[in-house]
Every structure is written in structure tokens, then in C-alpha cells.
Amino acid sequence: MGSRVAQVLVSSRPISWINTAFPFAAAYLLTAGTVDVTFVVGTLFFLVPYNLLMYGVNDVFDYESDLRNPRKGGAEGALLDPSLHRTVVWAGIATAAPCLVVMLWSAGAGHPWSWFVLAVSLFAVFAYSVPGLRFKERPVLDSITSSFHFVSPAIYGLAVAGAVATPQLAALLTAFFCWGMASHAFGAVQDVVPDREAGIASIATAFGARATVRVALALWALAGLLMLATEWPGPLGAVLAVPYLVVVWPFRSIDDAHSGEANRGWRHFIALNYAVGFLVTMLLIWWAAVRA
């Protein structure tokens, strides 16, 4: 039983939990200025159940292709035994349902847009992987959908807290969206060979490894430029795009045959996210202090 529970948890990518919980928590707290039921339950939802639904469902429907992928079976994705597929799906639904009930109840009728954002967010989670939709196999749409997986928790936090739309806020969210697209695109490069062997399309299989890396670099650069249009001290966040450019730059000319070598850069990217996340937190604290 312990082994089965561990496999279910691994399928939710614990190393990436913070990437969805933090955007919601930061957006809600800085907008509402309070720690309440919505904040606590929403953070818990985007920490575990959301990731279990997103990654767990993906692992279930990608089982055949994951068998050919040497990096699956650990922190970068579980290689789920078929006997656990139904368990993972139901675990995601069972843990998400109570949170969603509380989130919808606590939002009340005052923030109807938050209901819409949450519905679209959940649709994107399933549409990425489930047969019949499989957005992950539609080049470019795959990167757009993946980015939305991380940006939508922030948008939901802003919507349920009643944030006021401004050009600066739009620039911030667009920068985050570009970061998400770049991250997915670069992540797809390392899987070009196994994806093609499995007959799976992606932005990287469509454009090729070299072009996809360069698209990712351009998107990270654009994200940095967009931060210059945000409210102070947001423009300082433009500098945070530089480490990603430095880490990925060596792979700018990688060919399809050697695309698997991009995994070295991807591992650095995962570690880099924690360091950059710390600096983003410091900027948010500074921004909150300036507003106070």
C-alpha cells in the first residue's frame, strides 16, 4: 500500500507543486490582503489535487510513450503501472472535489468571473491529455495550454479576490505566460526522439530541436522586456529572465539527433526555478511594502 501511495504522489510531480500553488497564493494574498478560507483551501487545491489531476492524468494517457522515454520513472514523471491508472484518476478527483466545493462556496456570487476562470483552468488540465482533445499533441497549442496551467491559478486568485485590471497587471501576466510557453517548449526538446518514435506531435517535433530552443529563448527575452512595463519594483524582474537565457543558450544549435542532451539544461532549469522563485518572493514583499 505504501508503494502504491508513493507512486500516486510521484505522478503529481511534487517537485513542481510550488509552481501552481505559489501563483495563486501570491495573487490572492496581495490583492485581498487577508488569509481566509479561500486562501487556505485554494492554496491546498493548487498545491496537490490540481497537480495530481494535471500530471497524473497525463501519465495515465501517456503510458505507452513513457515506456520509451528514459527520463520517466522519477521526479520528471512517473511510469505508472497500468493497475494504478484508475487509482490515480480517482485520487485526483477525490482530493479536488472537496476543495472545489469550498472554493465555489467561499467565492459566492460576488466574483462570477472566478467561476469561469476556474472552469477554463480545469478544462485545460484535462484537455491537455485526454483522448479526443490531446492539446499536448497540437504543436504550439501544447505550449499555450501548458503555460495556462501555471498562469490560470494566478488569474483565478486575482479574479476571486476582486482585482482591478490595469495595463501593468496585464503586462505582468503576459510576461508570466511567455515564461510558461518558453519553459514548455524547451522541456519538449529533450523528448523529440521518444515522441517521434511514439508518433506524438509537439512543438519540438514540429519545429525541430534547434528552432524550438530559439523560440524558447525569444519568449524568455520577451518576458523580461514585458516586466519593464509593470509597476515598480516589477521592472527589476526583467533581470530574472537572464539566468534562463544563460542556462539554455548553449543548446541553441542542438540538432534533433542529440536533442536528449537538452535534459542537462532542463535539470538546471528545475533548480533555477527555486532560486528565481525566491527572488520573485522578495520582489513581491517589496511591492507590498511600497503599496503600504
Side-chain angles (χ1 to χ4, degrees):
M1 178 62 72
S3 176
R4 292 172 68 86
V5 171
Q7 287 188 62
V8 171
L9 283 177
V10 168
S11 73
S12 69
R13 312 289 203 284
I15 197 171
S16 298
W17 284 358
I18 192 67
N19 292 338
T20 49
F22 183 83
F24 165 79
Y28 185 86
L29 185 60
L30 292 175
T31 303
T34 184
V35 175
D36 54 14
V37 172
T38 301
F39 173 84
V40 173
V41 176
T43 300
L44 289 174
F45 169 73
F46 286 111
L47 187 70
V48 184
Y50 182 82
N51 284 290
L52 189 53
L53 287 173
M54 177 165 63
Y55 292 119
V57 170
N58 181 70
D59 285 342
V60 167
F61 290 108
D62 280 4
Y63 178 72
E64 294 299 329
S65 61
D66 286 349
L67 286 172
R68 302 177 177 87
N69 195 328
R71 71 185 185 89
K72 297 298 183 178
E76 296 182 60
L79 188 57
L80 287 174
D81 186 277
S83 66
L84 281 174
H85 288 182
R86 186 183 298 273
T87 300
V88 167
V89 173
W90 280 108
I93 294 173
T95 55
C99 294
L100 291 171
V101 170
V102 174
M103 290 162 68
L104 293 174
W105 170 79
S106 62
H111 306 290
W113 273 109
S114 68
W115 291 29
F116 174 76
V117 172
L118 188 58
V120 176
S121 180
L122 290 173
F123 170 77
V125 163
F126 287 100
Y128 186 76
S129 301
V130 299
L133 293 172
R134 293 288 286 179
F135 286 5
K136 71 165 294 174
E137 293 193 49
R138 303 176 188 274
V140 181
L141 182 58
D142 56 348
S143 290
I144 291 174
T145 306
S146 177
S147 181
F148 188 69
H149 289 161
F150 301 101
V151 179
S152 62
I155 298 176
Y156 174 72
L158 293 168
V160 78
V164 177
T166 65
Q168 293 81 7
L169 181 58
L172 174 63
L173 291 174
T174 305
F176 188 14
F177 196 85
C178 288
W179 173 89
M181 285 192 65
S183 301
H184 176 272
F186 180 63
V189 170
Q190 62 194 319
D191 292 331
V192 166
V193 173
D195 279 352
R196 283 183 175 158
E197 290 178 350
I200 294 177
S202 73
I203 188 172
T205 62
F207 293 173
R210 181 184 295 106
T212 303
V213 171
R214 295 182 181 187
V215 167
L217 288 168
L219 286 168
W220 272 313
L222 178 57
L225 291 175
L226 284 166
M227 289 301 298
L228 297 176
T230 62
E231 185 178 347
W232 181 262
L236 295 177
V239 179
L240 300 181
V242 175
Y244 293 101
L245 298 176
V246 171
V247 166
V248 177
W249 183 258
F251 303 95
R252 65 192 181 281
S253 296
I254 196 170
D255 59 25
D256 291 0
H258 297 88
S259 56
E261 296 177 8
N263 182 252
R264 290 187 290 109
W266 180 251
R267 289 178 178 272
H268 291 150
F269 165 83
I270 293 175
L272 180 60
N273 279 345
Y274 284 91
V276 171
F278 169 77
L279 295 175
V280 168
T281 302
M282 295 300 101
L283 277 178
L284 290 174
I285 292 173
W286 185 1
W287 180 80
V290 169
R291 289 189 66 191

